Amino acid sequence: MGPGPGVVAALLALLVPVAARGPGSAACELSPSGRFDCGPERLLARADCEARGCCYIPGPGPRSGPGPPWCFFPRGYRSYRAENLTATESGFSARLRRVAAAFLPAPVDTVRLDLALETPARLRFTVRPGTAGPRRPVPPGESPVPPGKAPFPRVKAPFSRVKAPFSRVKAPFPRVKAPFRIALRDAARQRYEVPLATPQVRGRAPATLYGLQVSQDPFGLVVCRQRGGTVLLNTTVAPLIFTDQFLQISTSLPSRFISGLGEHLTPLFLDTAWSRVTLWNRDMAPAPHVNLYGSHPFYLVMEDDGSAHGVFLLNSNAMDVLLQPSPALTWRTTGGILDFYIFLGPDPKSVVRQYLDVVGFPFMPPYWGLGFHLCRWGYSSTDITRQVVANMTAARFPLDVQWNDLDYADAKRDFTFNKKSFRDYPEMVRDFHSRGLRYIMIVDAGISSSGPPGSYKPYDEGLKRGVFIRNATGQPLIGKVWPGPTAFPDFTNPRTHEWWYDMVKDFHEQVPFDGMWLDMNEPSNFVEGSQDGCPNNNLEHPPYVPGVFGGRLQAGTICASSQQYLSSHYNLHSLYGLTEAIASHSALLRVRGKRPFIISRSTFTGHGRYAGHWTGDVGSDWEQLYYSIPEVLLFNLFGVPLVGADICGFVGNTNEELCVRWTQLGAFYPFMRNHNDHGTRPQEPYSFSPPAQAAMRNALHLRYSLLPFLYTLFHRAHSAGETVARPLFLEFPTDPNTWAVDRQLLWGGGLLVTPVLEAGQTKVRGYFPAGTWYSLAGDSTIHSKGQWILLPAPLDTINVHIRAGHILPLQEPASSTAQSRSKGMALVVALTLDGFARGDLFWDDGESWETFERGDYTEILFLASNDAVLSQLLRASPHLDGVLLEAVTVLGVTSPPRRVLANGAIVSDFSYRSDTQVLKVPVSLPMWEQFVISWS
């Protein structure tokens, strides 16, 4: 059924012609902070600049440094004109025709705009090549209303630099909470599009949170909030550019608080003072201002009133995102299409959930994957690896997963092991299993190609099946990684997935490993391009090269022009780690029949559906300790909650104080692993002095006691698109003081962690949003009005506070989760001033596939009110059988109880402290049955 005439007329009424201006003096009167660069590919002299019809005003600083461009677009610069706006099943479509000369090669004369009103809070717009799909012509009675005659109220918010008399689309529908998407395509021919499955929406949302405006000539699009009129997207500020290898679109921003656009070493919020963010996956030890291992072209903006919106560009080509202080943002990408989703929120948690509705909710990790992991490059034999585990046990440190780096492999080749130094490798892994431990080894992306035929099955079989990325001559491209000459599997090829499964299966039959560590999968290459170099063509040397480290697309990786099953590596490069993770996830599930556990260095949008991430080769220093917090928080926003940094640092020597503080913070990474480089100081917890060991042991025990809570958070991420580690602004968006806080983190909405991040400090300053916060130890209470508070933090202490209104399920820690899962549980109940609190517990067998989807789990709701705590069994299963609730600690009990009852029976040995207002109730109640604990 086609769209109603009222909806069509409403949008058509927005198609307003705009008088184009020439580059006269008035058109050049733009504030320096609002100027958009007219020379993206090179610096232009005045004559070249004005030949493009642009303005040239020299500035005070150097031309090549950050700052306002000297050559910039005038107001009303013409590029494309919108024509033939037509109603479609999902929204609207228009042809955009180029009406001015292009200054970059291979311009696309006609592109197609599609507007899809996918949900009430999600809009998608695309600009792409290709013929238009089925459309309904607009009948004569639905023709556009002449400018000035549209029966719609004007937008109240003053649009920055929008001079046209736009009318506002105001659909007569109730307000809704969902996201929308936009796409610009080249109408003449097919073009590469990211092969990422996204929701296919039929029809259009009947009501939206957004209004739309379309500028006809020059083309531009404005998206605003129906309520309040805040402009979220305004592409009229600069011209659309669409050529074969350069696509550019700009927008104003409603505030300078913009977060996202990973992966980079950055604070939580980005710098809008003429900064550039480059996306092109790169093997690069984390450093500021360079492209790193992953690409996530998604950003979230906090608006002045605490509302939030998000924008996602589904494009995998090399790109720059430029930020300027007006504030505004420019996307520049080197191929594909412009395929945007806009998420209306209106709060930041809703924005993240709406984004994950598109890219996929995170996978559910096995319970053991949340325990402590230990690794090092330099465990050079099974004897040494076994000794490490023995030392951890002797020093009474919990350990769930032992890892090996490349030391285990024969000549550093995947799916092999050294028959001398790791001669009893399979037996070692089975021995770990008998102790309740798990085992993971590294797998690099490159497959050794240097052995004689018949000597190395992964390469021989890969050649036979044609699974490797090909060079310009059609032969496997050969680069160089750790084993020497290597070929690179093409994980976009279905045949490669079967080959990969066979290799994983064959190796697992020898060595029963439990998970995979995917490294070097940007893909990394020690020679530039290939051993034979790269062709001299427009894919290797495009008209515009983003700010990639090394200055060339092939730097540190393979040739951009190499060919894969779906397209050129030029288009698919940043998807390499994601496609390998998908193949590995599938292979592990088929081989083990249990929940896969995969940690990958290279990532792209949607990665969290299949794997986690560690933040790469971080340095052993205090600065990297700090940066690990915004990195973990950002990956949670990207839908990759299983993330952590190498505890104590990877590169260089750590020191005792740094390692203690890093272990304390690392206990609150969703993924907790200690890993360091060969040739550096040992940094296993048992390597330090007794006081340092005691502090680390306390941190590990604290984590293990909180694992039921953490596991429940992962369930909510997997089932409902929530975050696990959470920035404060996600929970307190109307408190602007929380927006830039990135030296603290939340677990869920109820546990606030304030770590020490500087050397020599025994106090730490943290921000506490308005409300009541109890120390997890129960020895202090903070009644905050929204303020910074100085906390004591001796070396053996990390400050952890529970937010009033939350109930946390805890469990007695043990040497591994295999043991702790059967231990007694406890509840910590943090009452609000009116005596209320709430919490929940998700519990299953910890490793079976899709327990939630199959209903094979237990879920318990905990409630506190009216001087009582009760449990409600929402779903039952046998998995909690035998586990007892052994203690309940209630924080914020204002009057000394005279009597405490557990399921109606008197509890005589409860304790209460008037100074801290803490009630402790020892009990012995089955967790699998409902209970009530009351006091009076």
Side-chain angles (χ1 to χ4, degrees), residues 864-889:
S865 64
N866 301 319
D867 297 334
V869 179
L870 61 86
S871 71
Q872 182 178 349
L873 206 57
L874 302 181
R875 188 174 191 93
S877 72
H879 302 303
L880 263 179
D881 289 359
V883 178
L884 298 178
L885 178 68
E886 296 183 345
V888 175
T889 300

PDB file of all heavy atoms in Angstrom, residues 864-889:
ATOM      1  N   ALA A 864      13.536  -4.368  46.955  1.00  0.00           N
ATOM      2  CA  ALA A 864      13.559  -3.938  48.354  1.00  0.00           C
ATOM      3  C   ALA A 864      12.623  -2.757  48.513  1.00  0.00           C
ATOM      4  O   ALA A 864      12.690  -1.791  47.747  1.00  0.00           O
ATOM      5  CB  ALA A 864      14.972  -3.549  48.771  1.00  0.00           C
ATOM      6  N   SER A 865      11.733  -2.865  49.489  1.00  0.00           N
ATOM      7  CA  SER A 865      10.850  -1.755  49.853  1.00  0.00           C
ATOM      8  C   SER A 865      10.155  -2.118  51.154  1.00  0.00           C
ATOM      9  O   SER A 865      10.046  -3.304  51.508  1.00  0.00           O
ATOM     10  CB  SER A 865       9.807  -1.477  48.757  1.00  0.00           C
ATOM     11  OG  SER A 865       8.953  -2.582  48.597  1.00  0.00           O
ATOM     12  N   ASN A 866       9.695  -1.091  51.859  1.00  0.00           N
ATOM     13  CA  ASN A 866       8.944  -1.303  53.105  1.00  0.00           C
ATOM     14  C   ASN A 866       9.686  -2.221  54.073  1.00  0.00           C
ATOM     15  O   ASN A 866       9.112  -3.161  54.635  1.00  0.00           O
ATOM     16  CB  ASN A 866       7.555  -1.874  52.794  1.00  0.00           C
ATOM     17  CG  ASN A 866       6.738  -0.964  51.906  1.00  0.00           C
ATOM     18  OD1 ASN A 866       6.750   0.253  52.097  1.00  0.00           O
ATOM     19  ND2 ASN A 866       6.051  -1.538  50.929  1.00  0.00           N
ATOM     20  N   ASP A 867      10.998  -1.980  54.246  1.00  0.00           N
ATOM     21  CA  ASP A 867      11.816  -2.725  55.201  1.00  0.00           C
ATOM     22  C   ASP A 867      11.849  -4.226  54.902  1.00  0.00           C
ATOM     23  O   ASP A 867      11.803  -5.063  55.808  1.00  0.00           O
ATOM     24  CB  ASP A 867      11.319  -2.503  56.629  1.00  0.00           C
ATOM     25  CG  ASP A 867      11.426  -1.046  57.056  1.00  0.00           C
ATOM     26  OD1 ASP A 867      12.287  -0.348  56.498  1.00  0.00           O
ATOM     27  OD2 ASP A 867      10.652  -0.617  57.919  1.00  0.00           O
ATOM     28  N   ALA A 868      11.937  -4.567  53.624  1.00  0.00           N
ATOM     29  CA  ALA A 868      12.023  -5.975  53.240  1.00  0.00           C
ATOM     30  C   ALA A 868      12.747  -6.106  51.908  1.00  0.00           C
ATOM     31  O   ALA A 868      12.722  -5.196  51.077  1.00  0.00           O
ATOM     32  CB  ALA A 868      10.641  -6.606  53.149  1.00  0.00           C
ATOM     33  N   VAL A 869      13.408  -7.259  51.741  1.00  0.00           N
ATOM     34  CA  VAL A 869      14.024  -7.634  50.465  1.00  0.00           C
ATOM     35  C   VAL A 869      13.400  -8.953  50.044  1.00  0.00           C
ATOM     36  O   VAL A 869      13.324  -9.899  50.848  1.00  0.00           O
ATOM     37  CB  VAL A 869      15.549  -7.811  50.595  1.00  0.00           C
ATOM     38  CG1 VAL A 869      16.153  -8.214  49.255  1.00  0.00           C
ATOM     39  CG2 VAL A 869      16.208  -6.547  51.105  1.00  0.00           C
ATOM     40  N   LEU A 870      12.948  -9.010  48.807  1.00  0.00           N
ATOM     41  CA  LEU A 870      12.354 -10.256  48.330  1.00  0.00           C
ATOM     42  C   LEU A 870      12.892 -10.604  46.952  1.00  0.00           C
ATOM     43  O   LEU A 870      13.418  -9.754  46.245  1.00  0.00           O
ATOM     44  CB  LEU A 870      10.827 -10.147  48.296  1.00  0.00           C
ATOM     45  CG  LEU A 870      10.195  -9.086  47.394  1.00  0.00           C
ATOM     46  CD1 LEU A 870      10.000  -9.582  45.969  1.00  0.00           C
ATOM     47  CD2 LEU A 870       8.857  -8.632  47.971  1.00  0.00           C
ATOM     48  N   SER A 871      12.755 -11.881  46.616  1.00  0.00           N
ATOM     49  CA  SER A 871      13.127 -12.343  45.283  1.00  0.00           C
ATOM     50  C   SER A 871      11.886 -12.841  44.573  1.00  0.00           C
ATOM     51  O   SER A 871      10.957 -13.369  45.202  1.00  0.00           O
ATOM     52  CB  SER A 871      14.160 -13.461  45.359  1.00  0.00           C
ATOM     53  OG  SER A 871      13.589 -14.660  45.856  1.00  0.00           O
ATOM     54  N   GLN A 872      11.891 -12.643  43.257  1.00  0.00           N
ATOM     55  CA  GLN A 872      10.797 -13.137  42.435  1.00  0.00           C
ATOM     56  C   GLN A 872      11.407 -13.937  41.290  1.00  0.00           C
ATOM     57  O   GLN A 872      12.222 -13.416  40.520  1.00  0.00           O
ATOM     58  CB  GLN A 872       9.961 -11.973  41.902  1.00  0.00           C
ATOM     59  CG  GLN A 872       8.764 -12.411  41.074  1.00  0.00           C
ATOM     60  CD  GLN A 872       7.933 -11.227  40.592  1.00  0.00           C
ATOM     61  OE1 GLN A 872       8.139 -10.098  41.038  1.00  0.00           O
ATOM     62  NE2 GLN A 872       7.024 -11.474  39.680  1.00  0.00           N
ATOM     63  N   LEU A 873      11.042 -15.181  41.171  1.00  0.00           N
ATOM     64  CA  LEU A 873      11.596 -16.077  40.154  1.00  0.00           C
ATOM     65  C   LEU A 873      10.857 -15.829  38.847  1.00  0.00           C
ATOM     66  O   LEU A 873       9.709 -16.244  38.675  1.00  0.00           O
ATOM     67  CB  LEU A 873      11.441 -17.528  40.607  1.00  0.00           C
ATOM     68  CG  LEU A 873      12.423 -18.552  40.063  1.00  0.00           C
ATOM     69  CD1 LEU A 873      13.866 -18.175  40.379  1.00  0.00           C
ATOM     70  CD2 LEU A 873      12.104 -19.934  40.636  1.00  0.00           C
ATOM     71  N   LEU A 874      11.510 -15.134  37.913  1.00  0.00           N
ATOM     72  CA  LEU A 874      10.877 -14.834  36.631  1.00  0.00           C
ATOM     73  C   LEU A 874      10.941 -16.021  35.683  1.00  0.00           C
ATOM     74  O   LEU A 874      10.063 -16.196  34.841  1.00  0.00           O
ATOM     75  CB  LEU A 874      11.542 -13.614  35.986  1.00  0.00           C
ATOM     76  CG  LEU A 874      11.533 -12.336  36.816  1.00  0.00           C
ATOM     77  CD1 LEU A 874      12.202 -11.212  36.057  1.00  0.00           C
ATOM     78  CD2 LEU A 874      10.106 -11.946  37.202  1.00  0.00           C
ATOM     79  N   ARG A 875      12.015 -16.784  35.795  1.00  0.00           N
ATOM     80  CA  ARG A 875      12.138 -18.009  35.001  1.00  0.00           C
ATOM     81  C   ARG A 875      13.031 -18.966  35.778  1.00  0.00           C
ATOM     82  O   ARG A 875      14.040 -18.551  36.344  1.00  0.00           O
ATOM     83  CB  ARG A 875      12.719 -17.733  33.622  1.00  0.00           C
ATOM     84  CG  ARG A 875      12.669 -18.965  32.719  1.00  0.00           C
ATOM     85  CD  ARG A 875      13.104 -18.659  31.297  1.00  0.00           C
ATOM     86  NE  ARG A 875      12.792 -19.777  30.441  1.00  0.00           N
ATOM     87  CZ  ARG A 875      11.671 -19.904  29.741  1.00  0.00           C
ATOM     88  NH1 ARG A 875      10.761 -18.961  29.813  1.00  0.00           N
ATOM     89  NH2 ARG A 875      11.450 -20.961  28.988  1.00  0.00           N
ATOM     90  N   ALA A 876      12.668 -20.244  35.771  1.00  0.00           N
ATOM     91  CA  ALA A 876      13.420 -21.234  36.542  1.00  0.00           C
ATOM     92  C   ALA A 876      14.074 -22.251  35.629  1.00  0.00           C
ATOM     93  O   ALA A 876      13.580 -22.564  34.547  1.00  0.00           O
ATOM     94  CB  ALA A 876      12.486 -21.941  37.523  1.00  0.00           C
ATOM     95  N   SER A 877      15.226 -22.745  36.070  1.00  0.00           N
ATOM     96  CA  SER A 877      15.936 -23.835  35.410  1.00  0.00           C
ATOM     97  C   SER A 877      16.754 -24.532  36.488  1.00  0.00           C
ATOM     98  O   SER A 877      16.908 -24.015  37.591  1.00  0.00           O
ATOM     99  CB  SER A 877      16.856 -23.301  34.304  1.00  0.00           C
ATOM    100  OG  SER A 877      17.973 -22.636  34.871  1.00  0.00           O
ATOM    101  N   PRO A 878      17.319 -25.688  36.180  1.00  0.00           N
ATOM    102  CA  PRO A 878      18.099 -26.403  37.217  1.00  0.00           C
ATOM    103  C   PRO A 878      19.472 -25.814  37.497  1.00  0.00           C
ATOM    104  O   PRO A 878      20.168 -26.296  38.388  1.00  0.00           O
ATOM    105  CB  PRO A 878      18.239 -27.817  36.635  1.00  0.00           C
ATOM    106  CG  PRO A 878      17.341 -27.881  35.446  1.00  0.00           C
ATOM    107  CD  PRO A 878      17.157 -26.496  34.976  1.00  0.00           C
ATOM    108  N   HIS A 879      19.880 -24.769  36.763  1.00  0.00           N
ATOM    109  CA  HIS A 879      21.281 -24.349  36.811  1.00  0.00           C
ATOM    110  C   HIS A 879      21.695 -23.737  38.150  1.00  0.00           C
ATOM    111  O   HIS A 879      22.890 -23.665  38.448  1.00  0.00           O
ATOM    112  CB  HIS A 879      21.576 -23.387  35.661  1.00  0.00           C
ATOM    113  CG  HIS A 879      21.304 -23.973  34.302  1.00  0.00           C
ATOM    114  ND1 HIS A 879      21.909 -25.130  33.869  1.00  0.00           N
ATOM    115  CD2 HIS A 879      20.479 -23.584  33.308  1.00  0.00           C
ATOM    116  CE1 HIS A 879      21.476 -25.413  32.656  1.00  0.00           C
ATOM    117  NE2 HIS A 879      20.606 -24.493  32.294  1.00  0.00           N
ATOM    118  N   LEU A 880      20.739 -23.267  38.944  1.00  0.00           N
ATOM    119  CA  LEU A 880      21.074 -22.703  40.258  1.00  0.00           C
ATOM    120  C   LEU A 880      20.884 -23.712  41.388  1.00  0.00           C
ATOM    121  O   LEU A 880      21.108 -23.381  42.558  1.00  0.00           O
ATOM    122  CB  LEU A 880      20.206 -21.468  40.543  1.00  0.00           C
ATOM    123  CG  LEU A 880      20.813 -20.095  40.244  1.00  0.00           C
ATOM    124  CD1 LEU A 880      19.815 -19.000  40.557  1.00  0.00           C
ATOM    125  CD2 LEU A 880      22.103 -19.859  41.015  1.00  0.00           C
ATOM    126  N   ASP A 881      20.465 -24.914  41.045  1.00  0.00           N
ATOM    127  CA  ASP A 881      20.218 -25.914  42.088  1.00  0.00           C
ATOM    128  C   ASP A 881      21.469 -26.127  42.934  1.00  0.00           C
ATOM    129  O   ASP A 881      22.577 -26.298  42.399  1.00  0.00           O
ATOM    130  CB  ASP A 881      19.775 -27.245  41.473  1.00  0.00           C
ATOM    131  CG  ASP A 881      18.372 -27.170  40.902  1.00  0.00           C
ATOM    132  OD1 ASP A 881      17.757 -26.090  41.005  1.00  0.00           O
ATOM    133  OD2 ASP A 881      17.899 -28.185  40.343  1.00  0.00           O
ATOM    134  N   GLY A 882      21.310 -26.108  44.238  1.00  0.00           N
ATOM    135  CA  GLY A 882      22.426 -26.329  45.153  1.00  0.00           C
ATOM    136  C   GLY A 882      23.143 -25.072  45.577  1.00  0.00           C
ATOM    137  O   GLY A 882      23.960 -25.104  46.499  1.00  0.00           O
ATOM    138  N   VAL A 883      22.872 -23.946  44.915  1.00  0.00           N
ATOM    139  CA  VAL A 883      23.529 -22.681  45.271  1.00  0.00           C
ATOM    140  C   VAL A 883      22.674 -21.966  46.315  1.00  0.00           C
ATOM    141  O   VAL A 883      21.480 -21.753  46.115  1.00  0.00           O
ATOM    142  CB  VAL A 883      23.726 -21.790  44.033  1.00  0.00           C
ATOM    143  CG1 VAL A 883      24.354 -20.456  44.439  1.00  0.00           C
ATOM    144  CG2 VAL A 883      24.597 -22.494  43.000  1.00  0.00           C
ATOM    145  N   LEU A 884      23.300 -21.585  47.412  1.00  0.00           N
ATOM    146  CA  LEU A 884      22.575 -20.978  48.531  1.00  0.00           C
ATOM    147  C   LEU A 884      22.859 -19.478  48.622  1.00  0.00           C
ATOM    148  O   LEU A 884      23.973 -19.019  48.343  1.00  0.00           O
ATOM    149  CB  LEU A 884      22.983 -21.637  49.848  1.00  0.00           C
ATOM    150  CG  LEU A 884      22.677 -23.128  49.999  1.00  0.00           C
ATOM    151  CD1 LEU A 884      23.196 -23.626  51.338  1.00  0.00           C
ATOM    152  CD2 LEU A 884      21.178 -23.392  49.860  1.00  0.00           C
ATOM    153  N   LEU A 885      21.856 -18.742  49.022  1.00  0.00           N
ATOM    154  CA  LEU A 885      22.052 -17.355  49.430  1.00  0.00           C
ATOM    155  C   LEU A 885      22.521 -17.378  50.873  1.00  0.00           C
ATOM    156  O   LEU A 885      21.814 -17.886  51.755  1.00  0.00           O
ATOM    157  CB  LEU A 885      20.745 -16.567  49.306  1.00  0.00           C
ATOM    158  CG  LEU A 885      20.820 -15.104  49.762  1.00  0.00           C
ATOM    159  CD1 LEU A 885      21.703 -14.291  48.827  1.00  0.00           C
ATOM    160  CD2 LEU A 885      19.422 -14.498  49.852  1.00  0.00           C
ATOM    161  N   GLU A 886      23.727 -16.829  51.127  1.00  0.00           N
ATOM    162  CA  GLU A 886      24.319 -16.962  52.454  1.00  0.00           C
ATOM    163  C   GLU A 886      24.412 -15.650  53.221  1.00  0.00           C
ATOM    164  O   GLU A 886      24.670 -15.675  54.428  1.00  0.00           O
ATOM    165  CB  GLU A 886      25.710 -17.587  52.330  1.00  0.00           C
ATOM    166  CG  GLU A 886      25.661 -19.020  51.781  1.00  0.00           C
ATOM    167  CD  GLU A 886      27.021 -19.681  51.713  1.00  0.00           C
ATOM    168  OE1 GLU A 886      28.037 -18.951  51.813  1.00  0.00           O
ATOM    169  OE2 GLU A 886      27.074 -20.909  51.552  1.00  0.00           O
ATOM    170  N   ALA A 887      24.235 -14.530  52.527  1.00  0.00           N
ATOM    171  CA  ALA A 887      24.326 -13.252  53.243  1.00  0.00           C
ATOM    172  C   ALA A 887      23.581 -12.180  52.467  1.00  0.00           C
ATOM    173  O   ALA A 887      23.580 -12.172  51.231  1.00  0.00           O
ATOM    174  CB  ALA A 887      25.784 -12.842  53.425  1.00  0.00           C
ATOM    175  N   VAL A 888      22.963 -11.273  53.220  1.00  0.00           N
ATOM    176  CA  VAL A 888      22.332 -10.095  52.644  1.00  0.00           C
ATOM    177  C   VAL A 888      22.842  -8.887  53.425  1.00  0.00           C
ATOM    178  O   VAL A 888      22.724  -8.845  54.655  1.00  0.00           O
ATOM    179  CB  VAL A 888      20.794 -10.164  52.718  1.00  0.00           C
ATOM    180  CG1 VAL A 888      20.170  -8.869  52.220  1.00  0.00           C
ATOM    181  CG2 VAL A 888      20.277 -11.358  51.919  1.00  0.00           C
ATOM    182  N   THR A 889      23.429  -7.941  52.716  1.00  0.00           N
ATOM    183  CA  THR A 889      23.912  -6.704  53.332  1.00  0.00           C
ATOM    184  C   THR A 889      23.043  -5.567  52.821  1.00  0.00           C
ATOM    185  O   THR A 889      22.941  -5.359  51.604  1.00  0.00           O
ATOM    186  CB  THR A 889      25.381  -6.449  52.976  1.00  0.00           C
ATOM    187  OG1 THR A 889      26.178  -7.544  53.446  1.00  0.00           O
ATOM    188  CG2 THR A 889      25.875  -5.156  53.606  1.00  0.00           C
TER     189      THR A 889
END
